[in-house]
Amino acid sequence: MMHHHETCLGPPRFVILCQHKHRATIMVPKACAYAMFCLCFLLVAVHGACECGFQVRSNDHVAVYTHSIITNFTDPSMSDIGPDWVRSNYPIKDKPYSQQYVPANVYRAIGGLGLNIRVQRYAGSGPVIGGEMQSSRTDILYGSFRASLQISNVSGACQSIFFDKTDSQEVDIEFLTATPHTVHFTNQPHYTNATALGFDPTSAFHQYRFDWAPAQTTFYVDDILRTTLAKDVPNTPGEILLNSWSNGDPEWSGGPPAQDAVLRVEWVQMFFNTTNSSDNISRQKACTKATHEGQPNLTCKV
């Protein structure tokens, strides 16, 4: 782990930046991120490639996950949104306003420094036009899911990162932009915890995380445990999504927004298991081979 250095300006808040071809990661200060981009690849190559998985400590529980997806949207060399994400494009019949997700509302920020997910200001007729992206993988079963997000200060939208399979197999971190200082942690369909953040999530990026295990989901903000839910825990594989939407419901999203409400995303990190048997066999073979060769850092703490 590289620690904040006096030559790197800005707060000592760490982000995982780099991904080796074998999916190892390394931590660097946010202010040093681009300057350290190439160096971290060299360090990963020297120190191992996590062939035996990724160790996650969640509250008092330790789990090892076999796979990872690390997407750094602040990397200007990355093409579009990368290969691990797909833009949504579908309508939703809803009340009091219908919705439509369109690909154009998921787009890289100017200069490629981040990703924007937008729900457009309401035009006065027709559906509310939002944005959503979903993981290419739909076979995710348990894991740790993290994102650096800045919430919109435009009232009338819901913005979130979540796991989804069905309405009863879902884990949410959601913000209502009318009351952004409260975050909603939920295992659908019944169990939710509304938590005061203690800061303004519209003024800066913060890290939001949920760890999904068979017996519970655990939620963190900036690496501080906020709540644990042990009922309605999903048990089927699915996908991870981030979105920004509104249906005008006064009891939830409010709105529709009078101006564009933009969710800003710096990065997403996912450490997870999969139900893909061929992938799991390949990972096990790689772990066995690296173990026999005596390679270091076969299981990486993340």
Side-chain angles (χ1 to χ4, degrees):
M1 177 181 293
M2 290 186 156
H3 294 280
H4 181 68
H5 192 276
E6 62 184 358
T7 61
C8 296
L9 302 179
R13 180 165 61 85
F14 302 114
V15 300
I16 292 181
L17 170 67
C18 298
Q19 183 176 7
H20 186 255
K21 66 181 180 179
H22 296 300
R23 303 189 177 209
T25 58
I26 190 167
M27 302 279 282
V28 301
K30 178 177 182 290
C32 307
Y34 186 64
M36 297 301 298
F37 187 77
C38 294
L39 176 59
C40 74
F41 277 82
L42 297 176
L43 292 172
V44 166
V46 169
H47 292 294
C50 311
E51 287 91 344
C52 295
F54 304 88
Q55 181 178 310
V56 173
R57 176 171 290 278
S58 182
N59 199 1
D60 58 353
H61 174 72
V62 176
V64 176
Y65 298 109
T66 55
H67 290 68
S68 72
I69 291 174
I70 312 291
T71 308
N72 174 26
F73 294 108
T74 67
D75 174 11
S77 69
M78 189 179 76
S79 176
D80 194 33
I81 63 173
D84 297 307
W85 301 97
V86 178
R87 293 175 170 90
S88 297
N89 185 12
Y90 62 91
I92 302 175
K93 291 183 179 181
D94 214 342
K95 293 180 179 180
Y97 296 88
S98 293
Q99 300 180 61
Q100 174 76 47
Y101 286 121
V102 298
N105 280 348
V106 178
Y107 57 96
R108 294 291 291 279
I110 295 174
L113 298 179
L115 182 77
N116 294 335
I117 303 178
R118 173 180 64 181
V119 54
Q120 297 172 211
R121 68 178 182 87
Y122 189 55
S125 62
V128 183
I129 310 300
E132 179 180 79
M133 71 175 187
Q134 53 196 342
S135 60
S136 300
R137 299 202 72 131
T138 60
D139 56 4
I140 294 168
L141 183 63
Y142 307 123
S144 181
F145 309 93
R146 313 162 185 190
S148 178
L149 307 175
Q150 183 174 350
I151 309 307
S152 175
N153 61 4
V154 176
S155 180
C158 178
Q159 300 181 328
S160 58
I161 175 173
F162 61 108
F163 165 84
D164 181 66
K165 178 61 177 180
T166 67
D167 288 344
S168 62
Q169 294 281 303
E170 182 176 339
V171 181
D172 301 323
I173 298 178
E174 295 178 290
F175 295 87
L176 308 179
T177 60
T179 54
H181 295 77
T182 298
V183 59
H184 300 263
F185 303 123
T186 306
N187 287 349
Q188 298 287 2
H190 297 123
Y191 290 92
T192 188
N193 182 299
T195 301
L197 287 168
F199 59 81
D200 181 3
T202 72
S203 64
F205 285 94
H206 291 270
Q207 182 185 138
Y208 304 95
R209 164 184 165 189
F210 67 91
D211 292 353
W212 167 35
Q216 64 184 24
T217 51
T218 310
F219 298 84
Y220 296 81
V221 177
D222 291 332
D223 290 325
I224 297 174
L225 175 66
R226 290 302 186 101
T227 195
T228 297
L229 301 176
K231 295 183 178 181
D232 284 347
V233 180
N235 57 11
T236 58
E239 59 195 357
I240 298 296
L241 303 95
L242 293 90
N243 64 13
S244 185
W245 62 273
S246 177
N247 64 358
D249 181 354
E251 300 299 321
W252 190 247
S253 72
Q259 302 294 328
D260 288 359
V262 179
L263 173 65
R264 301 179 62 199
V265 185
E266 279 188 317
W267 47 259
V268 179
Q269 306 165 5
M270 301 163 47
F271 307 95
F272 59 94
N273 290 337
T274 172
T275 56
N276 185 305
S277 58
S278 61
D279 273 8
N280 290 332
I281 291 171
S282 295
R283 291 292 295 180
Q284 183 58 52
K285 288 181 177 178
C287 176
T288 300
K289 180 176 183 292
T291 301
H292 288 164
E293 292 173 352
Q295 295 187 22
N297 295 340
L298 298 182
T299 303
C300 299
K301 294 181 180 180
V302 293

